[in-house]
Amino acid sequence: MGRLWPLLAITTCTLLTACGPGDTAADSQAPASTSTPAVGKTTTKPATTSTKQVAVADLPKCGDIPGAGATPHDPLPDCRLSSRDSAALSFIVRHKAGHGGNPWTAIDVTGSDGKVLQTLDVRDTEIPAEPYLADLDVDGRDELIVPVSTAIVGNSTYVVFRPKADKLEFVEAGKIFGIGVDRTASGYIAAMSKSGPADKYIEFQKFVGSKLVFVAEIIQTFDKDGHSTCRVDDEKGVPESEFSAEEVVRRFCGEQLLRTSPVG
């Protein structure tokens, strides 16, 4: 479909180890999203009873360090995130160099007492960008969004971690590809990407249990006068969608994207 996928992306399988019991039926039955390229490998270490104390307050907030990570050779410093939801969790983000110099990010999820509840290891994070928190589905709990690769024209791939219902445990929900992560007023998670000046792609996903599931993708094509036409992406927009092509155009071409607001 003419999309320029990330130049630095490494095609791999996503490896998840069980984080603990309590998966819902929806978690086990929901299909994995096939709407974004596989980038990076993620390992979630199970919740523990560790008594390790972490000085979260001593770390700067992620994204608050001017000039940090300006180039791939300028490593990002360790930093912290704090959720503003009912769980009141903190996240300690550590940037490390793996074998062969491939960077990776280790994120400790900590409780209010500073004990590490879970560690998320995201391998092959190829871009100097910090994770952030945002409530993508407006359910009162913050998702963790980790950028892992980027390409020309600003498209990036993000790994999304979602908290399990009524739990402090996070699982990898899937990946999103685009220029940032948005949502819509009707409750879908959306990402806009570009392949050039004329075409704009918008992909829509939703959470089913703890998984991101592809819904539809549209293409807006702009002419030299600034007018645009909207159609279904024939390669992705219909066969996997619960909607017909006509329903996709009617439902999604008029969707307004709402920028998600990072917290922490």
Side-chain angles (χ1 to χ4, degrees):
M1 65 185 186
R3 184 86 66 101
L4 294 178
W5 295 108
L7 299 180
L8 299 176
I10 299 175
T11 303
T12 62
C13 296
T14 299
L15 174 63
L16 287 175
T17 58
C19 296
D23 290 345
T24 64
D27 294 340
S28 61
Q29 296 174 4
S33 172
T34 59
S35 54
T36 54
V39 177
K41 292 190 292 188
T42 303
T43 301
T44 60
K45 298 179 181 178
T48 69
T49 56
S50 169
T51 58
K52 177 182 177 182
Q53 299 292 320
V54 181
V56 179
D58 294 340
L59 295 172
K61 287 185 178 181
C62 296
D64 280 2
I65 309 157
T71 71
H73 302 291
D74 180 16
L76 291 165
D78 295 343
C79 61
R80 62 183 168 91
L81 297 168
S82 300
S83 67
R84 296 180 185 173
D85 57 22
S86 58
L89 299 173
S90 294
F91 302 78
I92 299 174
V93 180
R94 305 187 190 283
H95 301 280
K96 303 181 180 183
H99 295 294
N102 293 327
W104 57 285
T105 303
I107 304 171
D108 288 335
V109 184
T110 69
S112 57
D113 57 0
K115 293 180 180 179
V116 177
L117 305 172
Q118 183 182 19
T119 298
L120 307 171
D121 286 336
V122 184
R123 304 304 174 107
D124 298 325
T125 48
E126 297 287 349
I127 56 175
E130 296 289 14
Y132 65 97
L133 298 168
D135 186 358
L136 296 180
D137 54 351
V138 199
D139 67 346
R141 290 294 306 277
D142 295 329
E143 277 74 40
L144 175 65
I145 303 162
V146 185
V148 294
S149 70
T150 193
I152 58 176
V153 301
N155 299 322
S156 297
T157 299
Y158 304 83
V159 178
V160 177
F161 293 92
R162 193 185 197 206
K164 288 187 176 181
D166 302 322
K167 292 182 180 291
L168 303 180
E169 186 178 338
F170 283 74
V171 295
E172 184 181 339
K175 296 180 176 68
I176 294 176
F177 178 77
I179 304 173
V181 182
D182 304 307
R183 60 181 178 84
T184 70
S186 58
Y188 292 98
I189 297 159
M192 185 273 288
S193 60
K194 298 176 70 175
S195 64
D199 291 328
K200 179 172 71 175
Y201 298 79
I202 305 177
E203 182 179 82
F204 300 89
Q205 300 187 58
K206 65 180 180 180
F207 283 120
V208 176
S210 295
K211 294 294 182 182
L212 276 170
V213 176
F214 173 80
V215 177
E217 182 170 87
I218 58 174
I219 305 173
Q220 286 185 309
T221 301
F222 295 83
D223 61 26
K224 61 181 180 180
D225 296 323
H227 300 105
S228 68
T229 58
C230 179
R231 68 187 189 279
V232 173
D233 183 348
D234 292 332
E235 294 184 16
K236 294 172 60 178
V238 178
E240 304 166 8
S241 177
E242 62 190 276
F243 304 110
S244 67
E246 293 77 12
E247 289 174 322
V248 168
V249 171
R250 184 171 61 252
R251 180 181 292 262
F252 293 103
C253 282
E255 281 278 16
Q256 179 181 2
L257 302 189
L258 306 175
R259 176 66 63 185
T260 55
S261 299
V263 300

